[in-house]
Amino acid sequence: IFQWKGEVPKGLPDWKEEEKVHLGEELSDVLLYLVRLSDICGIDLGKAALRKVELNAIKYPASKKNFNTSNGTAHTGTTAVERTKTVVHPSNVQSVAAPKPI
């Protein structure tokens, strides 16, 4: 979907509604495949993702004051891990039917 689009702005303002719907369907396929694969492999995807965020925070430490150029806001005193934990929480995830086995 993105191959011939070049760089796309946040929110995809230049996209037609049917393109956004198609993108949602494709992203959902990828998500469901990932969840099913992690289940088959016995990987706790939530734990693995949080561990990766923590490792990235060590590898790429945030300064005391991070300035987000995309929206002009400053984040003071919070780490990438803290911000991620407030966005993604297991209680916010709804159950979905698993896709057929691979």
Side-chain angles (χ1 to χ4, degrees), residues 37-67:
L37 182 61
S38 67
D39 181 54
I40 289 171
C41 296
I43 301 296
D44 182 326
L45 200 53
K47 282 184 182 177
L50 287 175
R51 181 176 186 278
K52 184 62 177 175
V53 169
E54 289 168 352
L55 291 172
N56 283 346
I58 293 166
K59 190 173 183 179
Y60 309 104
S63 64
K64 286 287 183 188
K65 189 171 188 177
N66 272 341
F67 190 79

Side-chain angles (χ1 to χ4, degrees), residues 8-78:
V8 294
K10 184 176 182 175
L12 309 174
D14 299 331
W15 286 40
K16 297 175 186 167
E17 188 58 31
E18 58 267 14
E19 291 177 304
K20 291 180 182 182
V21 169
H22 182 221
L23 175 60
E25 292 168 354
E26 294 297 324
L27 292 174
S28 296
D29 285 343
V30 172
L31 174 66
L32 293 171
Y33 184 82
L34 176 65
V35 169
R36 180 69 177 145
L37 182 61
S38 67
D39 181 54
I40 289 171
C41 296
I43 301 296
D44 182 326
L45 200 53
K47 282 184 182 177
L50 287 175
R51 181 176 186 278
K52 184 62 177 175
V53 169
E54 289 168 352
L55 291 172
N56 283 346
I58 293 166
K59 190 173 183 179
Y60 309 104
S63 64
K64 286 287 183 188
K65 189 171 188 177
N66 272 341
F67 190 79
N68 184 339
T69 56
S70 66
N71 66 10
T73 61
H75 299 285
T76 307
T78 60

